[in-house]
Amino acid sequence: MGRPVIASSTKDLEKGQPLREKQDQQQDGVQNVPPSTYLDRVVEPKLLHRPWLESLYQFMDSSAKGFAISIAKRMKYFDIKVIHFSKSGTPNSIIKCLTPEHFKEVISEDKERTGSLIIAKGISRAMIEALGTAFELEPEFFANHLAGTELLRMGRQESLVLRAPARAPYLLPDYIRKAPFYAAEYRRPYHIEGGKEEIFRIRVTEATIPRGVLLIHDDLPDVFVIEKISVYKKRGSNIGIILTDQLLSDALPASHIPHPVTLLNDDAVRLGSDSRRYQVSSRRELMSWLQHLTPNEAKTLFDDHEQLALRPVLKIVESNGVMFLAHARHIMARIVSRHCDAQFPESIPFFLYISRSLHRCVHEQQRVLRYSLRVASLRGGDDITEQRQDFGFLADDMDGVLKALEEDVMFLVGASSIREGKIVGWVSKFAALFLPVSLLATILSISDHGHGSGRRSSPVITLIRAVPYMKYSALSERANRSEAPLSSLNDIRHNFGQQAGMTLSNYLVCLFLLLIEAFASSSEYKERLDLRPLPPSSLLASFAFRSNASLESFKQQHFRYFPRSLGQILQHTRARELHLRFSTGRWDAESWGARPWGGAKEGGTGVELWAWVEADTEQEAFARWISLNHALSGLFCASLNFIDSTRTTRPVMTFEQAGSHINVSSNLHLLHGTLPREVVCTENLTPFLKLLPCKGKAGISTLLDGHKLFDASWQTMAIDVQPICPTDGSECIIQMEQTVDMVLDIERSKRPRENPIPRPVPPNEMVCDPTKQYPTDACYPLSSTSGQSWSLFEIFGRAVKGTCLADDLGGPTPESICIHVPHERKVLTSSGITESKKPNGNTRCYSLPALDHAEIVLPQQHDLVAQSYHLLPPPLYAERSFTGYGQERGGVQTLLTNPSPTSPVSFIYLESLPWFMKPYIHTLQARTLDQHHQPSPSPPIFPSSSNNILIEDIYYRPALDRHRGTQLEIRMSVPPSSTVSLTYDFDKAILRYTEYPPDANRGFDVAPAVIRLLPSSSSPDNENNNNDSSVYHDTLSFSSSPSVYLRTTSLLLPLPTPDFSMPYNVIILTSTVMALAFGSIFNLLIRRFVAADEVEGWDLKRMRDRVIGRVRGRMAVLKERMGGKGDGMEKKVQ
């Protein structure tokens, strides 16, 4: 029997269960499972358009795995009781059917009767087949009865990560009101010794449906197992079907759980020795209810005016709720009265755990009551007024229990606080005595000349000597990791182990100090600022922050310096290594030399992100990659959520793992994405600072101001997270490095923020160059590269506010700021700053005060006519640009120049192109250019000579329209003192009009190319440089990177763009024409034309005479006027 496509999550249900393989094999061995007509003809065809039937399909499927219940019980179990009611209303004898054949015979008897009631205990495929085919039941009836068992099939609750739940029906109120069935759920109390493992074992062996279990505590014997009753009856039918669950055990409940007195069962045989009733199944309770029915009530049992068995079902729910309430009150009484034993220890943490579990269970009981009452209201209408009132009383009692629980928790927390306060008080007293004891130990260690010899000292003297040594060792190890304090600490441990009279307090002191030392060594935080002048009048400021945590504490989410917000994102997405870059501007390699950090902390223009994600398949890795992008987008207020499949690549050769992935599986997937159009601004800097331990309120991070940072000529922010495992076999750590690099223009940075307009220097403040010959009334200004003055406040607009985590560092204050200027240059500092000059003659570092503001000033020195910048040349120059013209096709040209005269440069070149750029690989050419940038006479692409090969390897992944972009990786080399031109042609795709951005005529940004220099060629030939040239890389090697990276500038690609103004013009013109035409036509259609003689009260002849009279009157007036003028003229002539 084929499996429908819609139920595709069964494979997920089989994941994570290697321990059940043997059992599944035994289940597969069960033969002779009869075919199911109900499954083939009813469930399976409807499954295609009713996915909520998947749980029923899996339960009936004999080949489905992942069930702890034996397949024989799940397939063949059969236990149904049939009760026929005669015409007089009296029930006939109860018929118990143990086989489907017997059941068919019983229900096929042709006798006159009022109706038949069928009550099943448990459920199996055979029972579903018999009931479904005999009475044509809807499959939702069985699926709803199985709902809630999807995650419990292996005998215990399993995480959604390991086991995806099968689809189950969720019935809306309208469906419950009109459906021919309803269901009620409750919690039955059990008292079973052996803990939850025994409960799981019994549930698997005794029941056919894996219901859930409410546990107050794993070791307590009182548990509450979920049970459900489902009732089915169609309108006009005299057949009623009730599904009930099986008992796990008929043992007596706990003595503190008295069974409430009801009318459902008063059988004295079911009473125990202490008048407590044994466990009675819900089917037996319903049977007892049927026996108490009068003939008239039995006749109306199958009427449509009242729901079948609604009152007894609600009574069962209510009675079990009352028993749970009694258990909750008993547990609360034990907590308050401290009635404890081995299973119920007297411990405040244990009491708090029990209270929390009880609070959760009471809320669950209230939910069950509300659901049952809602079902009853939808099915019973106004006939359940009494039940509604009873449920209201029970809900009020549970609210009282919740309030009492809250008071108990407050009492327990208060008691715990008082106890902890007493402990803190004793520790404070011990700390007050620690200082004189330490001083006394120091004096004794100096005066006792026999210390360290062969004679034995008393335990007290040994303890007093050990305390200052251990304190000094802890501080020294964190400060400089020297070996002397460690050897002293080992000697102390050895001496303590040999003392015969060691007391408990000695052990506590040693343990306390050792724990402090271990915790301090596992978490570490460092920060550093390097300042280096660059020509002609620029300053490179490199901020570096490093925080780490042990890998074990990271997994347990115990964060100290590592940011919790980022750590939880990495754990959720299983990102084992993360690299994030925010960059703007262009690094001028010709003027500024090599990039800081070897380019490892630099990103392309905009935002760049790459990470190693752990996953079993590429689809799973991409899903986690998308989740990572969305989470980081919200964390850093960036548009990282726009990195979709079209902007994601999977580099093969370009990027290397910076961390140590020793204990991680090999299923690591590298994904890389870019957003060259992203504008980096203050919204990204603020969350960047929030990741620091001091949040930008102390330390060098106080200098980071958005106005200064984003006014720089070039700036980049980087975040790198990777695991680090030391080579000595010590504990691995998770390390995060945050760096901010920017090149500031000194003159522009010194301008006041309120008046940043540049103005000429006044003549009296102009510094003249004395080496130039000029007349007395003229001045040749001194070059800005000659000892220009600046200070931290002038450059960054603020001063440094102390040291971050000054209280946690211990030992000497670390060097936080380093300036790379010659030692001859004068540098002024504020009080409290300690200067340390390095032996290279070009670097000095400063230790800042812990709490005070710090200021460093470099005054202007006119005697320094020429300043040495000690810049290293970059190992490779790269320039990329577009070639060609037109709107159909174009080309890309990259010029790669090797400045070294002796060594070739080998590197990996990565291009990540959008899908609408369609490159032609057959046009890819690498040519060596001469000094005039002209191609060589014979520029082969792939020469046959091994010494002249430019392109060594190519990895090409073509694009798919609107699904993924083009990925091109090239391994190539450039000979010494040569320039290589790498070119290829491409076609431009035509986009849909909805795919254009708002500023379509600006063009489309193409991500920069990434170049990774291979280690054999990453260091250029610097034999002619002095030793000071390497100082820059040594001092900035806050985090060393094995590779050197370069990035070209981004490109702006113009695409064929339609005239977006034309649609608007057409819309306006068409709307105008439509309005005029519609108005005229509408006026003609709705206006009524009436003849003048048809209007009431309208005399056409009279109206005509009036008009003619008015016309004649006007003509007479005109004649008179004309006649008067003629008479006057005649008189004048006479």
Side-chain angles (χ1 to χ4, degrees):
M1 176 167 38
R3 172 134 181 123
V5 180
I6 189 67
S8 60
S9 63
T10 304
K11 297 181 179 179
D12 298 332
L13 293 173
E14 299 174 4
K15 292 183 179 179
Q17 304 299 331
L19 300 179
R20 296 291 179 177
E21 291 182 358
K22 186 175 181 180
Q23 183 177 359
D24 290 340
Q25 292 175 1
Q26 296 176 358
Q27 294 178 2
D28 293 339
V30 178
Q31 302 294 331
N32 301 325
V33 177
S36 175
T37 306
Y38 188 75
L39 177 64
D40 297 339
R41 297 184 179 181
V42 179
V43 179
E44 186 173 351
K46 293 183 178 181
L47 184 62
L48 295 174
H49 58 276
R50 298 184 185 180
W52 51 84
L53 299 179
E54 183 179 359
S55 59
L56 175 61
Y57 181 90
Q58 293 177 359
F59 184 82
M60 298 183 66
D61 188 4
S62 59
S63 62
K65 299 179 181 179
F67 286 86
I69 302 172
S70 64
I71 191 172
K73 182 179 294 186
R74 183 164 57 93
M75 295 289 110
K76 301 181 180 180
Y77 174 81
F78 204 91
D79 187 358
I80 296 178
K81 289 187 178 181
V82 181
I83 306 174
H84 297 303
F85 291 86
S86 63
K87 284 293 185 178
S88 62
T90 58
N92 298 332
S93 59
I94 301 174
I95 305 174
K96 186 174 183 179
C97 304
L98 299 180
T99 61
E101 294 77 10
H102 186 203
F103 175 72
K104 291 181 181 179
E105 294 177 1
V106 171
I107 63 175
S108 61
E109 294 179 358
D110 190 10
K111 294 182 179 181
E112 294 184 358
R113 59 177 72 99
T114 303
S116 300
L117 190 61
I118 301 170
I119 306 179
K121 185 167 69 173
I123 194 172
S124 66
R125 170 173 167 171
M127 298 169 68
I128 296 174
E129 173 71 18
L131 295 173
T133 55
F135 305 107
E136 298 180 355
L137 303 183
E138 287 82 351
E140 281 80 7
F141 173 59
F142 301 105
N144 185 49
H145 189 70
L146 291 171
T149 65
E150 294 82 12
L151 297 178
L152 304 165
R153 293 177 176 175
M154 296 308 300
R156 64 184 67 240
Q157 178 79 22
E158 296 194 5
S159 173
L160 292 175
V161 178
L162 300 177
R163 179 179 293 274
R167 300 177 180 90
Y170 184 83
L171 306 182
L172 292 177
D174 184 64
Y175 189 91
I176 297 175
R177 185 184 296 111
K178 298 179 181 180
F181 62 87
Y182 69 92
E185 187 178 298
Y186 58 94
R187 309 293 188 263
R188 180 182 294 276
Y190 286 94
H191 185 83
I192 301 175
E193 299 288 345
K196 64 178 182 179
E197 297 298 332
E198 181 67 15
I199 293 293
F200 294 154
R201 186 192 66 79
I202 295 176
R203 183 176 60 185
V204 169
T205 56
E206 298 295 333
T208 60
I209 303 176
R211 301 287 186 192
V213 180
L214 285 182
L215 297 174
I216 306 299
H217 193 271
D218 295 346
D219 298 329
L220 295 181
D222 300 321
V223 297
F224 292 84
V225 180
I226 299 175
E227 290 190 14
K228 184 180 286 189
I229 300 177
S230 299
V231 182
Y232 184 98
K233 182 187 174 300
K234 288 184 178 180
R235 287 186 175 272
S237 173
N238 61 347
I239 301 295
I241 302 170
I242 302 177
L243 302 181
T244 62
D245 288 343
Q246 300 159 304
L247 287 178
L248 298 187
S249 173
D250 60 352
L252 293 170
S255 59
H256 60 270
I257 305 180
H259 197 282
V261 178
T262 65
L263 298 177
L264 296 180
N265 194 331
D266 57 355
D267 189 359
V269 180
R270 305 303 300 176
L271 294 179
S273 58
D274 55 352
S275 299
R276 287 186 294 114
R277 201 179 73 165
Y278 288 94
Q279 292 286 2
V280 179
S281 66
S282 56
R283 183 171 72 173
R284 184 179 179 85
E285 292 182 296
L286 292 174
M287 291 291 185
S288 177
W289 164 70
L290 291 175
Q291 294 174 0
H292 288 82
L293 291 178
T294 63
N296 293 330
E297 291 176 342
K299 288 181 180 180
T300 61
L301 184 65
F302 299 96
D303 291 344
D304 295 334
H305 301 290
E306 186 175 352
Q307 294 298 323
L308 176 64
L310 180 60
R311 296 179 186 273
V313 169
L314 293 179
K315 190 59 64 176
I316 293 175
V317 175
E318 181 185 358
S319 61
N320 284 275
V322 170
M323 287 189 285
F324 174 81
L325 196 60
H327 176 67
R329 288 172 174 168
H330 173 75
I331 295 294
M332 293 168 57
R334 294 191 68 178
I335 294 176
V336 175
S337 62
R338 297 297 197 272
H339 181 68
C340 303
D341 51 23
Q343 292 181 341
F344 203 88
E346 185 176 359
S347 171
I348 291 181
F350 177 78
F351 291 160
L352 290 174
Y353 178 83
I354 291 294
S355 300
R356 179 184 178 187
S357 300
L358 206 58
H359 195 276
R360 174 177 56 84
C361 293
V362 172
H363 275 292
E364 180 67 15
Q365 283 289 337
Q366 287 185 330
R367 185 193 67 81
V368 170
L369 291 178
R370 285 194 298 267
Y371 179 78
S372 301
L373 190 61
R374 182 177 66 176
V375 172
S377 300
L378 295 173
R379 305 291 299 187
D382 298 333
D383 297 336
I384 59 166
T385 305
E386 297 178 359
Q387 287 76 11
R388 189 190 303 273
Q389 187 177 11
D390 297 341
F391 274 45
F393 293 152
L394 186 56
D396 293 340
D397 293 341
M398 289 187 177
D399 289 336
V401 170
L402 289 177
K403 293 180 181 178
L405 270 176
E406 294 175 358
E407 294 179 358
D408 292 346
V409 170
M410 294 177 62
F411 171 76
L412 293 174
V413 172
S416 178
S417 301
I418 293 174
R419 181 176 299 181
E420 292 180 358
K422 292 180 179 179
I423 296 175
V424 172
W426 283 106
V427 172
S428 301
K429 294 177 181 178
F430 176 77
L433 296 175
F434 182 78
L435 183 59
V437 172
S438 177
L439 180 60
L440 179 60
T442 305
I443 297 174
L444 290 177
S445 63
I446 296 174
S447 60
D448 188 5
H449 300 285
H451 178 64
S453 61
R455 66 176 186 174
R456 298 174 60 87
S457 302
S458 65
V460 178
I461 298 299
T462 305
L463 172 62
I464 294 175
R465 288 173 179 158
V467 171
Y469 284 156
M470 294 178 65
K471 181 180 178 182
Y472 175 76
S473 175
L475 297 177
S476 301
E477 184 175 359
R478 284 179 296 173
N480 50 18
R481 308 294 187 211
S482 61
E483 297 180 358
L486 288 177
S487 61
S488 302
L489 182 57
N490 293 330
D491 295 339
I492 293 167
R493 293 169 181 164
H494 181 69
N495 291 337
F496 269 105
Q498 291 181 349
Q499 296 298 331
M502 182 175 290
T503 61
L504 179 61
S505 60
N506 297 0
Y507 280 112
L508 292 178
V509 172
C510 296
L511 182 61
F512 178 71
L513 295 177
L514 290 175
L515 287 177
I516 291 178
E517 177 187 2
F519 184 74
S521 61
S522 62
S523 299
E524 185 183 23
Y525 174 74
K526 291 183 180 181
E527 62 180 16
R528 185 164 176 176
L529 169 61
D530 284 89
L531 302 172
R532 183 176 184 86
L534 295 177
S537 61
S538 301
L539 179 68
L540 171 63
S542 296
F543 295 81
F545 311 91
R546 184 174 67 193
S547 57
N548 57 33
S550 64
L551 200 58
E552 187 65 26
S553 63
F554 177 78
K555 292 180 180 179
Q556 298 177 0
Q557 295 191 7
H558 294 163
F559 301 102
R560 189 184 184 194
Y561 299 140
F562 197 94
R564 177 183 296 273
S565 57
L566 183 59
Q568 292 178 344
I569 292 175
L570 298 179
Q571 290 179 350
H572 175 71
T573 58
R574 296 189 182 182
R576 304 307 179 190
E577 186 172 328
L578 173 71
H579 303 275
L580 178 61
R581 303 288 185 268
F582 298 90
S583 302
T584 57
R586 185 183 71 89
W587 176 267
D588 188 0
E590 296 182 356
S591 302
W592 301 337
R595 289 167 167 80
W597 317 97
K601 305 295 183 182
E602 180 187 357
T605 304
V607 179
E608 184 177 356
L609 172 67
W610 69 97
W612 275 266
V613 180
E614 184 179 6
D616 296 332
T617 60
E618 291 187 357
Q619 292 78 10
E620 183 180 2
F622 182 75
R624 291 177 177 172
W625 165 257
I626 295 298
S627 178
L628 176 65
N629 294 337
H630 284 255
L632 294 178
S633 176
L635 182 61
F636 291 100
C637 298
S639 303
L640 290 169
N641 55 315
F642 286 97
I643 299 181
D644 52 6
S645 60
T646 61
R647 295 179 173 90
T648 301
T649 58
R650 300 174 183 267
V652 177
M653 301 182 291
T654 305
F655 296 100
E656 292 181 327
Q657 295 179 358
S660 304
H661 303 277
I662 298 177
N663 298 325
V664 182
S665 63
S666 59
N667 297 329
L668 291 180
H669 300 261
L670 172 60
L671 296 101
H672 175 267
T674 57
L675 287 176
R677 190 184 179 88
E678 183 73 7
V679 178
V680 185
C681 59
T682 311
E683 293 179 349
N684 311 123
L685 176 63
T686 302
F688 182 90
L689 296 177
K690 295 297 182 182
L691 299 180
L692 299 175
C694 295
K695 315 297 183 185
K697 305 298 183 181
I700 62 174
S701 61
T702 57
L703 297 177
L704 290 173
D705 181 19
H707 297 86
K708 298 292 184 178
L709 175 62
F710 299 106
D711 190 46
S713 303
W714 172 84
Q715 67 88 15
T716 179
M717 296 188 300
I719 295 178
D720 299 277
V721 181
Q722 64 268 344
I724 303 297
C725 294
T727 56
D728 56 358
S730 57
E731 184 181 10
C732 297
I733 61 173
I734 186 77
Q735 179 176 285
M736 184 182 73
E737 297 178 355
Q738 297 176 252
T739 58
V740 178
D741 299 283
M742 51 182 165
V743 176
L744 300 169
D745 184 88
I746 296 179
E747 290 294 337
R748 190 166 69 247
S749 299
K750 290 169 62 177
R751 297 171 189 165
R753 184 183 300 180
E754 61 274 4
N755 189 14
I757 301 176
R759 303 181 185 279
V761 180
N764 56 347
E765 297 180 5
M766 185 176 297
V767 180
C768 302
D769 189 355
T771 61
K772 303 294 184 179
Q773 298 295 330
Y774 52 85
T776 57
D777 57 346
C779 176
Y780 194 89
L782 189 66
S783 175
S784 60
T785 61
S786 302
Q788 194 171 13
S789 66
W790 53 271
S791 65
L792 294 181
F793 186 83
E794 291 178 338
I795 294 296
F796 298 102
R798 57 184 69 175
V800 183
K801 298 179 183 179
T803 304
C804 182
L805 302 177
D807 297 336
D808 295 348
L809 294 176
T813 306
E815 297 175 347
S816 301
I817 299 179
C818 290
I819 302 178
H820 301 272
V821 294
H823 289 178
E824 296 81 12
R825 180 76 183 269
K826 183 184 297 185
V827 179
L828 305 178
T829 61
S830 58
S831 60
I833 298 181
T834 304
E835 183 183 54
S836 174
K837 293 184 178 181
K838 302 303 178 182
N840 53 37
N842 195 43
T843 304
R844 63 186 79 186
C845 297
Y846 299 91
S847 300
L848 305 181
L851 301 176
D852 298 335
H853 288 64
E855 174 68 338
I856 299 177
V857 180
L858 275 76
Q860 186 162 359
Q861 294 180 264
H862 306 304
D863 53 346
L864 296 177
V865 178
Q867 181 177 349
S868 177
Y869 290 97
H870 305 282
L871 300 178
L872 283 177
L876 184 71
Y877 293 97
E879 299 178 6
R880 190 175 66 150
S881 59
F882 280 133
T883 60
Y885 56 89
Q887 298 293 332
E888 296 184 37
R889 58 185 60 89
V892 175
Q893 174 181 270
T894 306
L895 300 180
L896 305 165
T897 303
N898 180 11
S900 175
T902 58
S903 302
V905 177
S906 299
F907 55 89
I908 307 296
Y909 182 85
L910 169 64
E911 285 269 22
S912 300
L913 304 177
W915 63 268
F916 44 79
M917 282 184 63
K918 302 180 180 299
Y920 294 104
I921 298 301
H922 72 279
T923 62
L924 180 65
Q925 295 183 357
R927 303 168 179 263
T928 303
L929 305 181
D930 56 15
Q931 59 181 354
H932 301 291
H933 283 191
Q934 296 297 326
S936 57
S938 58
I941 302 176
F942 299 99
S944 59
S945 175
S946 60
N947 296 328
N948 296 325
I949 293 179
L950 299 180
I951 297 179
E952 303 173 3
D953 193 9
I954 294 179
Y955 178 84
Y956 173 67
R957 190 184 187 198
L960 295 177
D961 287 354
R962 297 174 178 85
H963 285 84
R964 75 181 184 198
T966 301
Q967 178 182 339
L968 176 62
E969 289 184 89
I970 304 174
R971 181 189 178 101
M972 59 184 302
S973 61
V974 178
S977 301
S978 302
T979 300
V980 172
S981 173
L982 184 67
T983 60
Y984 60 86
D985 299 335
F986 65 89
D987 276 350
K988 301 177 183 180
I990 298 178
L991 306 181
R992 301 167 182 166
Y993 78 95
T994 56
E995 295 174 341
Y996 284 91
D999 50 348
N1001 292 295
R1002 173 183 174 272
F1004 292 79
D1005 293 90
V1006 180
V1010 182
I1011 301 174
R1012 180 174 73 89
L1013 275 67
L1014 300 181
S1016 60
S1017 59
S1018 59
S1019 300
D1021 187 28
N1022 296 321
E1023 297 180 356
N1024 297 328
N1025 298 335
N1026 51 26
N1027 296 331
D1028 296 337
S1029 61
S1030 62
V1031 173
Y1032 176 50
H1033 288 273
D1034 293 340
T1035 54
L1036 286 187
S1037 62
F1038 192 78
S1039 172
S1040 59
S1041 179
S1043 302
V1044 177
Y1045 287 87
L1046 286 83
R1047 283 170 174 80
T1048 64
T1049 57
S1050 59
L1051 298 178
L1052 199 60
L1053 175 66
L1055 289 181
T1057 305
D1059 185 7
F1060 285 101
S1061 63
M1062 183 180 296
Y1064 297 105
N1065 296 335
V1066 172
I1067 291 173
I1068 294 173
L1069 180 60
T1070 306
S1071 300
T1072 304
V1073 173
M1074 289 291 293
L1076 294 175
F1078 176 78
S1080 302
I1081 296 175
F1082 184 76
N1083 189 15
L1084 294 174
L1085 289 176
I1086 65 173
R1087 176 173 291 184
R1088 180 183 178 186
F1089 295 91
V1090 182
D1093 54 354
E1094 296 179 2
V1095 180
E1096 296 181 1
W1098 185 275
D1099 190 354
L1100 182 59
K1101 182 176 180 181
R1102 183 178 178 183
M1103 190 67 183
R1104 184 182 57 186
D1105 294 342
R1106 184 181 300 175
V1107 172
I1108 294 175
R1110 287 184 178 181
V1111 172
R1112 289 179 178 177
R1114 289 288 183 184
M1115 294 180 63
V1117 171
L1118 290 176
K1119 287 182 178 180
E1120 290 179 357
R1121 291 180 179 179
M1122 295 298 294
K1125 291 181 180 181
D1127 295 341
M1129 293 178 63
E1130 291 177 357
K1131 290 180 180 180
K1132 290 181 180 180
V1133 171
Q1134 291 176 0

